[in-house]
Amino acid sequence: MSTGGAGYKSQQATAAYERARETFLRFANRSDDDIAIICRNTTEAINLLAYRLDLQPTDVVLTSVVEHHANLLPWGRVAIRRYIECGRGGTFGLDAVIAGLEQAPRPKLLAVTGASNVTGWLLSLQEIIAAAHERGVQVAVDAAQLAPHRPMPGEADFISFSGHKMYAPFGAGVLIGPRSAFEKGDPFLAGGGAVDLVDLDEVAWTEPPEREEAGSPNVVGAVALGAAIDEFLRLGWEAIIAREVGLAGRLRSALEGIEGVGLLGPDPDTPMLPVVCFTLNDLPPGLIAARLSAEFAIGVRHGCFCAHPYLTRLLGLSGDDVERFRREVLSGDRSNIPGAVRASACLSTRPENIDRLADALAVIADDKPAPVEYLQDANTGDYYPAAGALAWSDSTRGLGAGCSRG
């Protein structure tokens, strides 16, 4: 990477950026044969990889119905997707992975998440990666949800993760893989910084990883992500995991004790992150999230969490249900779209925070009238209190990004 100047500040920025790159490789347990490509987020990283693997339209990429959309949609643009199905609890076993790997034609790639962003389910990555490699299939791991909680799978061929999941600013992500995969062919993005020589009719691309980083880099984002990773490494995985296992158990136990709460996902004995996905009686998820925020100052996520196929299975929706919701959404009405609520704990979560959440959900589950009226925006499906407060007023509410609607 070059900041385009020989001045002191430019040199310092370049050095800090490259130190961050070295930190990413160390964090991901990679060798000197690997490179770290700095991009905007996991979604961009996987799109970049899908382009650069030079897959043919008849090639097969094996993935699963558990995936975030970022690890589903890019592969459908370049290859045939084959899916590992999950059970009602939202998990699958090694046998299902092997069956997908051995089905003809054999896949060129296994693209799988390290941990579900919906239920917090931790996949048995070492076994899955070993099974793929035994059959000559490369593995790309979407580690966005995994990276802040567990060590990275050094055995994977490709790894991607995002800074915003790791307490760094939005707008920085990383793709890690063998240098050889990026030495030939055109980069995903073309522009300044990715070249050694340009004529009007010719271009000579520079070496990776710079070849894949055209344009002005997000130096601040990369350096901040590097600083966040340094703190993870300072704390150590033993301490992080011990704390999170305790939080996960407390979170699940607290919600199980509330009448009307339905937990979605695996059984309690399954390895899980401190994440719970749930429904509450027949209340719309958007209303639950709005009341938690407006009345109790508790932030949760609701909807389908950018994992629509997975949610339809967790909720047990039929094909007819899905088709009905599809017609409504395409008509611009999201008021009835199905979903759930997700509560996530992290390193800064205290046990009393979980108790506050449980107390708040118990109040909402009690079926007493809310202290204020809540209105629904049919465009988004979201609810907001009709209290006239500026933060909730019509003038400050936009349609929102696609993620907020998904």
Side-chain angles (χ1 to χ4, degrees), residues 1-15 216-217 219:
M1 171 263 186
S2 172
T3 60
Y8 178 78
K9 291 182 179 179
S10 293
Q11 294 299 308
Q12 290 298 304
T14 299
S216 299
V219 177

Side-chain angles (χ1 to χ4, degrees), residues 139-217:
V139 180
V141 173
D142 171 359
Q145 190 69 32
L146 181 73
H149 303 286
R150 294 293 189 276
M152 302 286 259
E155 306 88 353
D157 300 278
F158 302 96
I159 297 174
S160 53
F161 58 95
S162 294
H164 72 271
K165 292 278 191 180
M166 304 182 67
Y167 317 106
F170 284 84
V174 184
L175 171 63
I176 293 176
R179 179 182 299 273
S180 58
F182 304 96
E183 286 181 324
K184 297 179 180 179
D186 294 348
F188 181 53
L189 297 175
V195 300
D196 285 334
L197 178 68
V198 174
D199 198 353
L200 294 181
D201 299 312
E202 181 185 6
V203 58
W205 304 109
T206 194
E207 296 299 312
E210 289 83 0
R211 176 185 295 206
E212 306 295 338
E213 297 178 1
S216 299

Side-chain angles (χ1 to χ4, degrees), residues 148-369:
H149 303 286
R150 294 293 189 276
M152 302 286 259
E155 306 88 353
D157 300 278
F158 302 96
I159 297 174
S160 53
F161 58 95
S162 294
H164 72 271
K165 292 278 191 180
M166 304 182 67
Y167 317 106
F170 284 84
V174 184
L175 171 63
I176 293 176
R179 179 182 299 273
S180 58
F182 304 96
E183 286 181 324
K184 297 179 180 179
D186 294 348
F188 181 53
L189 297 175
V195 300
D196 285 334
L197 178 68
V198 174
D199 198 353
L200 294 181
D201 299 312
E202 181 185 6
V203 58
W205 304 109
T206 194
E207 296 299 312
E210 289 83 0
R211 176 185 295 206
E212 306 295 338
E213 297 178 1
S216 299
N218 181 5
V219 177
V220 172
V223 172
L225 176 52
I229 288 175
D230 284 338
E231 185 64 11
F232 274 98
L233 297 175
R234 185 190 70 79
L235 292 171
W237 284 118
E238 183 177 354
I240 292 172
I241 293 172
R243 178 172 176 78
E244 291 199 345
V245 167
L247 289 172
R250 189 180 186 110
L251 185 58
R252 188 177 187 96
S253 296
L255 268 65
E256 282 179 335
I258 302 170
E259 186 175 356
V261 167
L263 295 180
L264 304 179
D267 62 64
D269 296 329
T270 305
M272 302 274 285
L273 299 179
V275 174
V276 288
C277 183
F278 62 94
T279 58
L280 179 58
N281 295 323
D282 294 323
L283 293 173
L287 179 58
I288 299 168
R291 291 196 60 183
L292 285 172
S293 177
E295 298 171 35
F296 304 96
I298 296 173
V300 294
R301 175 82 194 275
H302 76 279
C304 292
F305 319 111
C306 295
H308 293 185
Y310 192 32
L311 250 293
T312 61
R313 286 156 173 79
L314 291 171
L315 293 170
L317 299 179
S318 68
D320 290 341
D321 291 333
V322 173
E323 179 57 30
R324 183 175 71 257
F325 295 129
R326 176 180 176 275
R327 289 195 302 268
E328 292 177 356
V329 169
L330 292 178
S331 71
D333 181 2
R334 295 181 177 84
S335 58
N336 296 315
I337 192 167
V341 180
R342 183 188 68 198
S344 306
C346 63
L347 289 177
S348 61
T349 302
R350 300 190 301 272
E352 53 265 35
N353 299 145
I354 295 174
D355 297 340
R356 276 192 63 222
L357 170 65
D359 291 342
L361 288 173
V363 171
I364 297 173
D366 197 29
D367 204 27
K368 292 180 180 178

Side-chain angles (χ1 to χ4, degrees), residues 31-265:
S31 72
D32 293 338
D33 296 329
D34 295 303
I35 60 170
I37 299 166
I38 301 172
C39 41
R40 291 187 305 152
N41 45 45
T42 303
T43 299
E44 184 172 273
I46 296 174
N47 274 272
L48 189 161
L49 181 62
Y51 174 84
R52 290 297 271 126
L53 287 181
D54 196 28
L55 294 165
Q56 302 303 307
T58 54
D59 288 336
V60 172
V61 172
L62 178 63
T63 185
S64 84
V65 297
V66 173
E67 307 302 314
H68 188 283
H69 296 161
N71 205 27
L72 285 178
L73 300 181
W75 305 114
R77 289 182 164 183
V78 296
I80 298 169
R81 289 170 294 186
R82 179 183 301 158
Y83 298 105
I84 304 165
E85 189 55 75
C86 72
R88 186 67 174 85
T91 67
F92 53 80
L94 183 61
D95 288 347
V97 178
I98 291 174
L101 290 168
E102 294 188 341
Q103 182 180 337
R106 181 154 293 184
K108 291 292 184 70
L109 181 77
L110 169 61
V112 68
T113 186
S116 167
N117 72 301
V118 178
T119 62
W121 173 43
L122 284 163
L123 281 71
S124 302
L125 280 180
Q126 287 188 324
E127 292 181 346
I128 290 171
I129 294 170
H133 285 171
E134 287 169 6
R135 292 158 178 82
V137 178
Q138 290 188 309
V139 180
V141 173
D142 171 359
Q145 190 69 32
L146 181 73
H149 303 286
R150 294 293 189 276
M152 302 286 259
E155 306 88 353
D157 300 278
F158 302 96
I159 297 174
S160 53
F161 58 95
S162 294
H164 72 271
K165 292 278 191 180
M166 304 182 67
Y167 317 106
F170 284 84
V174 184
L175 171 63
I176 293 176
R179 179 182 299 273
S180 58
F182 304 96
E183 286 181 324
K184 297 179 180 179
D186 294 348
F188 181 53
L189 297 175
V195 300
D196 285 334
L197 178 68
V198 174
D199 198 353
L200 294 181
D201 299 312
E202 181 185 6
V203 58
W205 304 109
T206 194
E207 296 299 312
E210 289 83 0
R211 176 185 295 206
E212 306 295 338
E213 297 178 1
S216 299
N218 181 5
V219 177
V220 172
V223 172
L225 176 52
I229 288 175
D230 284 338
E231 185 64 11
F232 274 98
L233 297 175
R234 185 190 70 79
L235 292 171
W237 284 118
E238 183 177 354
I240 292 172
I241 293 172
R243 178 172 176 78
E244 291 199 345
V245 167
L247 289 172
R250 189 180 186 110
L251 185 58
R252 188 177 187 96
S253 296
L255 268 65
E256 282 179 335
I258 302 170
E259 186 175 356
V261 167
L263 295 180
L264 304 179

